[in-house]
Amino acid sequence: MPGPIPTRVRIVPTKYHDTPVDVFRDLGVSAAIWANHAMRAAITAMVETGEEIYRTQSISGVEKKVAPLREVFELTGEDIFEEFAQRY
């Protein structure tokens, strides 16, 4: 008869941001999912970018802080636009 099936414990500790990861590890947690921190960071960045554009009435000051269009197209699977640009 096979041995016991290993238990996997996954947590989504959004409200426990002050708890060190070692505490979860010591409790036997096998994976922590930081579910919405990237989204929350993106919201902060979008608000700050929008405020700067409104304040300066220009996008030139934020261009160096934002992802290049090439990266946007790669992430969204739209690299075909680059191919079209080269071809036509």
Side-chain angles (χ1 to χ4, degrees):
M1 189 168 265
I5 298 172
T7 303
R8 304 271 192 254
V9 177
R10 293 169 185 86
I11 60 171
V12 184
T14 301
K15 294 286 199 167
Y16 302 100
H17 53 270
D18 290 330
T19 305
V21 174
D22 285 342
V23 171
F24 301 135
R25 194 175 291 120
D26 292 344
L27 290 170
V29 172
S30 41
I33 302 167
W34 310 108
N36 62 24
H37 285 74
M39 177 192 62
R40 291 166 55 199
I43 291 169
T44 300
M46 287 186 280
V47 169
E48 290 173 357
T49 300
E51 287 172 345
E52 184 172 343
I53 292 169
Y54 180 78
R55 186 177 63 256
T56 64
Q57 296 294 291
S58 172
I59 60 172
S60 65
V62 299
E63 189 61 27
K64 63 187 173 290
K65 300 175 189 177
V66 300
L69 280 176
R70 174 181 300 279
E71 185 174 344
V72 174
F73 292 147
E74 287 173 5
L75 287 171
T76 58
E78 299 180 54
D79 335 352
I80 196 163
F81 291 118
E82 181 65 30
E83 179 186 327
F84 288 157
Q86 296 300 322
R87 187 181 303 174
Y88 304 106

